[in-house]
């Protein structure tokens, strides 16, 4: 997500701002930019698509002088990530430079009205609309810049954290927030500004967290002034930072993994934003629609991935077969690349990767491309190697996933696959319209249902205490729940170092049932599905051998809860969407067991976040 940094003081602003941008890189972004006011009263803006390092290269040899400036990392919402859309944005006269984090929902109306007044626009962003509006109000109402900001923000519907500087005003930064975070740091003869405290903490521990609808008037030689949108002056409340940099990045959670589990309602909303329109009954995945013929004529879909991403791919298999009637094979990238695989030019290959850097998946993609197949990427890290090496794709847009055990990336991968299958199935007419609409409408409920499951965290923590003794675990599921079972098992083994196996429930009697005794915990996903009754039979087989059953059930369940030793109740949903819900209690269970066992949850032994060697 976008990051904001600002500085006004006695030192050169550029190095402080660039360092601050680096600190915010973990948030995820696709372009960056900087605005500096120098002693000659010039307002210089430099921007670059890509990493902060690209911006630094771009700035080489340019005038980067000045003791006041603002800087930004952009995570694209309105308009593609490019130079024009990167922040800061100039006003029409190039006298004001503005950076913004958030979304201005009524920007179309505001833009139209400004266009009628003769304003022209260089970018597709909502941010440029705001800076133009501020300038228009300043000129037409003949008010100073802080009043113009206040009046402009009163017209804005949406979320924002903003900072701006004005040419000819080298002692002033104005900042404001609503629903997007903004922190002001109070230093010795200096003020700092940032989206979170990480760029500030090495300079000062004294910070002020702006509240919604507050405007900070940050003047070089004066006390910080905070006014509300309603023009009431506020007394700045200074907070002493006590947390370490690392803890700040965890947002108050004990571990990144827990934070990332809890982020999932938001990350799934972010993943759907701009793609699903419930009012118009549309799914717009440009990567699919731009390459519609490839998908409509696909002889086969080949899904290539590793680890958790491979588990998401297995769910994709169920989805594409059910809704698109296209045969699917899901392959471990590492096996596929060395197996002399048969690849047809009319195959569509889907490569799934959180990091976008997994070496085996990259190599498997190269093989598929050489054979002439069309390759589509599902990745999280913007600008990483896999998106750069695929023909098209969709980002999951969940922001940086720092915990090594993948959680929020998995659910977003599954969500992208769901949206893809629905989009292709509708184009192919292999999904009845009524069914499409039912699933689309239920997708909108998923984030709230995840919130409900997260409310069970304390109960799941209590349950976890019962299982810390275990040396082995079995996870069972059928249909869409089978990949969830193996993903649940992987989560447990990665961070708690307990041996865990995931199986399709019906496979138990073909061998693994020999492992069951009264010590063996068996986690069964037994939510409502077409195979619910079959799963009950499988549970009976476990019960007859005295296995200790922890079942994930729906509220309406009456049968499983009578057999299970423990149950976790999750909301009901469409069968194909159930993995988005049923994985959440399994993530929490493995997290709490690992914490109880004293493991390094975020950085478990022997594991790396981005696997760049084969
Ligand atoms: C599991 C996990 C790994 C990754 C695997 C693939 O929690 O994180 O299994 O899923 O290394 O990584 P990506 O998705 O980056 O290609």
């Amino acid at each position: 997500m976008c990051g904001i940094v600002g500085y006004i003081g006695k030192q050169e602003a550029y190095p402080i701002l660039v360092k601050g941008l680096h600190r915010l890189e973990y948030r995820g972004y696709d372009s960056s930019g900087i605005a500096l006011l120098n002693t000659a009263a010039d307002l210089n803006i430099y921007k670059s698509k890509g990493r902060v390092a690209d911006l630094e290269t771009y700035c080489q040899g340019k005038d980067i002088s000045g003791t006041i400036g603002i800087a930004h990392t952009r995570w694209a919402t309105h308009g593609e990530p490019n130079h024009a859309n990167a922040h800061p944005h100039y006003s029409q006269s190039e006298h004001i430079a503005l950076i913004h984090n958030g979304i201005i929902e009524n920007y179309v109306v505001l833009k139209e009205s400004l266009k009628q007044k003769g304003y022209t626009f260089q970018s597709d962003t909502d941010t440029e609309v705001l800076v133009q509006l501020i300038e228009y109000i300043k000129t037409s109402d003949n008010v100073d810049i802080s009043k113009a900001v206040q009046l402009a923000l009163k017209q804005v519907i949406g979320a924002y954290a903003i900072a701006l500087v004005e040419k000819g005003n080298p002692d002033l930064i104005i900042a404001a927030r609503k629903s997007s975070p903004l922190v002001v740091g109070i230093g010795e003869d200096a003020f700092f500004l940032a989206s979170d405290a990480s760029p500030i903490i090495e300079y000062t521990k004294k910070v002020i967290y702006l509240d919604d609808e507050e405007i900070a008037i940050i003047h070089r030689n004066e006390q910080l002034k905070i006014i509300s949108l309603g023009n009431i002056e506020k007394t700045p409340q200074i907070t002493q930072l006590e947390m370490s940099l690392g803890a700040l990045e965890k947002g108050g959670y004990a571990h990144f993994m827990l934070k990332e589990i809890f982020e999932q309602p938001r990350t799934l909303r972010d993943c759907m934003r701009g793609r699903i329109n419930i009012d118009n009954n549309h799914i717009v995945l440009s990567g699919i629609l731009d390459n519609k013929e490839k998908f409509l004529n696909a002889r086969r879909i080949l899904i290539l991935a590793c680890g958790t991403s491979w588990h998401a791919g297995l769910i994709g298999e169920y989805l594409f077969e059910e809704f698109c009637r296209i045969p699917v094979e899901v392959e471990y990238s590492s096996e596929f690349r060395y197996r002399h695989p048969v690849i047809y030019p009319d195959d569509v290959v889907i490569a799934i990767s959180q990091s976008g850097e997994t070496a085996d998946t990259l190599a498997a993609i190269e093989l598929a491309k050489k054979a002439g197949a069309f390759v589509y990427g599902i990745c999280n890290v913007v600008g990483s190697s896999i998106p750069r090496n695929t023909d098209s794709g969709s980002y999951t847009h969940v922001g940086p996933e720092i915990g090594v055990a993948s959680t929020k990336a998995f659910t977003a991968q599954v969500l992208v696959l769901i949206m893809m299958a629905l989009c292709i199935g509708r184009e192919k007419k292999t999904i009845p319209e009524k069914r499409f609409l039912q699933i689309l409408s239920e997708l909108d409920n998923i984030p709230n249902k995840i919130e409900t499951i997260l409310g069970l965290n304390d109960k799941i923590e209590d349950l976890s205490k019962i299982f810390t003794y275990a040396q082995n675990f079995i996870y069972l599921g059928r249909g869409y729940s089978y990949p969830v079972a193996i993903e649940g098992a992987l989560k447990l083994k990665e961070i708690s170092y307990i041996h865990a196996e995931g199986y399709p429930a019906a496979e138990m009697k073909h061998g693994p049932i020999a492992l069951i005794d009264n010590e063996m915990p068996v986690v069964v996903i037994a939510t409502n599905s077409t195979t619910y009754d079959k799963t009950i039979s499988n549970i009976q087989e476990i019960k007859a051998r005295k296995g200790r059953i922890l079942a994930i059930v729906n509220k309406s369940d009456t049968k499983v809860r009578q057999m299970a030793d423990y149950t976790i109740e999750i909301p009901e949903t469409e069968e194909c969407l159930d993995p988005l819900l049923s994985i959440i209690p399994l993530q929490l269970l493995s997290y709490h067991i690992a914490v109880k066992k004293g493991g390094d949850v975020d950085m478990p032994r022997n594991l790396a976040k981005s696997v760049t060697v084969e």
Side-chain angles (χ1 to χ4, degrees):
M1 298 288 153
C2 303
I4 283 177
V5 195
Y7 173 77
I8 180 166
K10 292 194 164 153
Q11 297 179 50
E12 282 299 299
Y14 177 81
I16 293 170
L17 293 173
V18 167
K19 199 170 186 188
L21 290 183
H22 280 297
R23 288 256 189 260
L24 293 178
E25 282 189 297
Y26 78 94
R27 298 167 68 90
Y29 67 102
D30 39 56
S31 54
S32 62
I34 196 161
L36 297 156
L37 276 168
N38 65 18
T39 44
D42 295 325
L43 171 55
N44 293 314
I45 290 185
Y46 306 117
K47 310 196 273 192
S48 174
K49 189 179 162 185
R51 320 305 294 167
V52 175
D54 298 317
L55 176 68
E56 289 178 87
T57 308
Y58 182 76
C59 288
Q60 273 168 18
K62 304 217 164 44
D63 179 4
I64 50 163
S65 64
T67 55
I68 168 171
I70 53 177
H72 188 262
T73 48
R74 174 176 186 255
W75 184 82
T77 54
H78 294 77
E80 62 176 280
N82 59 24
H83 186 272
N85 290 333
H87 302 203
H89 287 284
Y90 275 127
S91 60
Q92 184 101 331
S93 68
E94 300 195 350
H95 270 65
I96 305 170
L98 179 92
I99 55 179
H100 165 225
N101 176 10
I103 292 177
I104 294 167
E105 288 162 18
N106 59 336
Y107 84 105
V108 175
V109 182
L110 296 171
K111 190 171 184 175
E112 267 322 300
S113 134
L114 286 163
K115 272 184 179 169
Q116 280 166 20
K117 293 178 176 86
Y119 282 77
T120 54
F121 293 84
Q122 315 303 319
S123 77
D124 306 320
T125 63
D126 50 346
T127 305
E128 194 185 7
V129 175
L130 181 57
V131 71
Q132 302 280 41
L133 180 65
I134 291 168
E135 181 163 282
Y136 167 71
I137 291 173
K138 182 173 185 270
T139 320
S140 62
D141 291 15
N142 194 20
V143 290
D144 71 10
I145 186 74
S146 54
K147 192 71 192 172
V149 169
Q150 191 184 43
L151 294 174
L153 290 179
K154 281 186 176 177
Q155 294 189 33
V156 161
I157 300 170
Y160 54 79
I162 60 161
L164 65 83
V165 288
E166 187 187 29
K167 190 171 178 170
N169 212 342
D171 296 324
L172 182 71
I173 297 177
I174 295 182
R177 74 152 273 175
K178 184 181 177 191
S179 306
S180 288
L182 210 48
V183 190
V184 182
I186 319 275
E188 289 278 318
D189 302 320
F191 291 104
F192 305 83
L193 186 70
S195 296
D196 66 42
S198 58
I200 297 177
I201 196 158
E202 63 192 280
Y203 305 106
T204 177
K205 296 220 157 193
K206 284 200 279 183
V207 296
I208 294 159
Y209 292 96
L210 290 188
D211 281 332
D212 274 352
E213 304 203 336
E214 282 185 349
I215 301 171
I217 299 164
I218 309 169
H219 202 282
R220 190 189 295 276
N221 301 315
E222 294 173 12
Q223 292 229 319
L224 177 73
K225 189 174 168 190
I226 297 178
I227 52 166
S228 71
L229 277 195
N231 207 28
I232 296 167
E233 188 156 350
K234 304 276 192 84
T235 310
Q237 301 295 323
I238 296 178
T239 305
Q240 195 74 17
L241 290 175
E242 282 172 9
M243 286 185 273
S244 69
L245 190 59
L248 272 173
E249 289 174 347
K250 287 175 199 154
Y253 286 91
H255 297 95
F256 282 111
M257 182 181 176
L258 188 62
K259 174 175 169 249
E260 287 158 7
I261 292 171
F262 270 79
E263 278 175 342
Q264 288 174 105
R266 180 183 61 73
T267 53
L268 294 190
R269 280 188 196 108
D270 287 343
C271 184
M272 284 190 268
R273 184 168 300 124
R275 292 168 166 169
I276 291 194
N277 188 327
I278 301 290
D279 298 335
N280 296 335
N281 296 324
H282 271 320
I283 293 187
V284 180
L285 280 176
S286 51
I288 301 286
L289 297 175
D290 294 348
N291 301 286
K292 202 162 87 177
E293 296 309 315
K294 297 276 181 201
F295 288 93
L296 296 188
N297 300 325
R299 172 187 188 133
R300 174 178 69 157
I301 291 177
L302 260 170
I303 300 181
L304 305 175
C306 303
T308 286
S309 300
W310 183 81
H311 297 157
L314 285 181
I315 296 170
E317 179 172 26
Y318 288 84
L319 289 162
F320 290 120
E321 294 195 346
E322 179 174 358
F323 299 126
C324 312
R325 307 306 297 146
I326 303 173
V328 182
E329 283 172 42
V330 189
E331 304 274 358
Y332 286 117
S333 308
S334 52
E335 286 300 310
F336 178 82
R337 62 184 288 199
Y338 289 117
R339 211 190 53 220
H340 305 295
V342 178
I343 310 166
Y344 303 107
D346 49 0
D347 278 339
V348 166
V349 171
I350 300 174
I352 309 175
S353 173
Q354 187 285 128
S355 63
E357 302 292 349
T358 301
D360 282 321
T361 304
L362 266 166
I365 288 170
E366 282 314 310
L367 208 62
K369 277 169 68 177
K370 272 195 195 125
F374 174 79
V375 185
Y376 196 89
I378 299 176
C379 287
N380 188 40
V381 178
V382 176
S384 55
S385 300
I386 292 177
R388 281 189 275 116
N389 282 288
T390 41
D391 297 305
S392 186
S394 297
Y395 282 115
T396 45
H397 286 315
V398 301
E401 189 180 63
I402 296 166
V404 162
S406 186
T407 52
K408 61 178 181 173
F410 172 75
T411 45
Q413 289 166 345
V414 173
L415 177 57
V416 169
L417 289 161
I418 292 167
M419 291 191 285
M420 285 176 72
L422 291 177
C423 190
I424 299 164
R426 195 187 213 189
E427 293 292 332
K428 270 194 92 180
K429 304 198 183 351
T430 42
I431 176 170
E433 187 64 6
K434 194 170 159 214
R435 185 95 190 86
F436 174 91
L437 295 176
Q438 276 169 346
I439 299 170
L440 191 70
S441 135
E442 176 59 6
L443 264 178
D444 200 36
N445 299 326
I446 291 294
N448 287 344
K449 291 189 176 181
I450 295 179
E451 302 268 13
T452 305
I453 301 169
L454 293 171
L456 301 174
N457 185 38
D458 289 348
K459 177 184 171 173
I460 295 170
E461 184 178 4
D462 280 349
L463 273 174
S464 73
K465 293 174 194 154
I466 299 166
F467 292 111
T468 43
Y469 76 89
Q471 300 290 315
N472 300 285
F473 255 80
I474 288 181
Y475 286 69
L476 301 177
R478 296 185 73 137
Y480 283 100
S481 299
Y482 158 56
V484 177
I486 52 177
E487 171 60 9
L490 179 64
K491 288 289 88 80
L492 188 71
K493 54 190 150 194
E494 279 180 299
I495 57 171
S496 71
Y497 317 138
I498 293 173
H499 172 241
E501 295 287 344
Y503 272 97
E507 268 297 299
M508 283 300 285
K509 55 187 167 297
H510 298 289
I513 201 160
L515 295 168
I516 305 293
D517 61 15
N518 61 0
E519 295 272 287
M520 178 67 93
V522 183
V523 178
V524 189
I525 300 140
T527 46
N528 292 344
S529 71
T530 39
T531 49
Y532 175 75
D533 286 328
K534 308 277 176 206
T535 306
I536 288 177
S537 307
N538 302 138
I539 292 174
Q540 272 160 345
E541 291 156 13
I542 309 291
K543 198 69 202 154
R545 285 149 188 95
K546 299 197 167 28
R548 300 179 74 184
I549 295 168
L550 166 58
I552 311 297
V553 296
N554 291 137
K555 194 172 190 158
S556 59
D557 168 87
T558 49
K559 298 176 186 165
V560 174
R561 65 179 78 231
Q562 285 176 22
M563 291 180 276
D565 298 276
Y566 314 97
T567 52
I568 299 173
E569 202 176 278
I570 65 170
E572 244 154 283
T573 186
E574 292 285 341
E575 188 171 351
C576 64
L577 306 186
D578 195 65
L580 295 172
L581 303 186
S582 52
I583 191 59
I584 309 293
L586 304 190
Q587 293 171 345
L588 286 170
L589 182 71
S590 47
Y591 171 78
H592 287 299
I593 291 177
V595 170
K596 302 264 162 336
K597 289 181 71 90
D600 187 346
V601 173
D602 284 331
M603 280 178 285
R605 67 186 182 204
N606 306 338
L607 298 180
K609 188 69 192 157
S610 180
V611 185
T612 53
V613 291
E614 65 169 290

